[in-house]
Amino acid sequence: MLIKFNVFGKPMSVQRKEGEWLLFLESATSMRVRVYDVVIPPELNENELAGYLADIYHENASVKHPSVEFMS
């Protein structure tokens, strides 16, 4: 399952694979690029992902994009 987020204006997704969370940047053309320099702790559950991404990427917050939001 792929969980999509708007991370301070940047489309990203998280996928659970073999007990690990994998983070991806999403493009407007549906291309997905893996983010290797951010490790999401495997013990986090789905409900904690938005808060974790907000903590990691908080310096990207702006007036236009003040939060991390779940995208359906």
Side-chain angles (χ1 to χ4, degrees):
M1 174 180 12
L2 201 63
I3 306 166
K4 294 187 177 186
F5 294 94
N6 179 327
V7 180
F8 303 113
K10 185 181 294 188
M12 301 185 91
S13 61
V14 178
Q15 181 180 30
R16 186 81 171 185
K17 186 173 182 180
E18 298 177 8
E20 301 291 325
W21 290 113
L22 307 179
L23 181 62
F24 300 91
L25 283 172
E26 298 281 336
S27 74
T29 59
S30 298
M31 298 283 295
R32 188 172 294 123
V33 178
R34 174 88 187 269
V35 176
Y36 288 97
D37 59 341
V38 173
V39 177
I40 300 173
E43 63 271 9
L44 292 185
N45 63 49
E46 290 181 23
N47 298 328
E48 298 171 302
L49 293 173
Y52 185 80
L53 292 172
D55 287 345
I56 295 297
Y57 289 102
H58 67 273
E59 61 275 349
N60 296 329
S62 66
V63 172
K64 186 174 180 181
H65 301 287
S67 61
V68 173
E69 300 169 356
F70 173 77
M71 296 170 49
S72 53

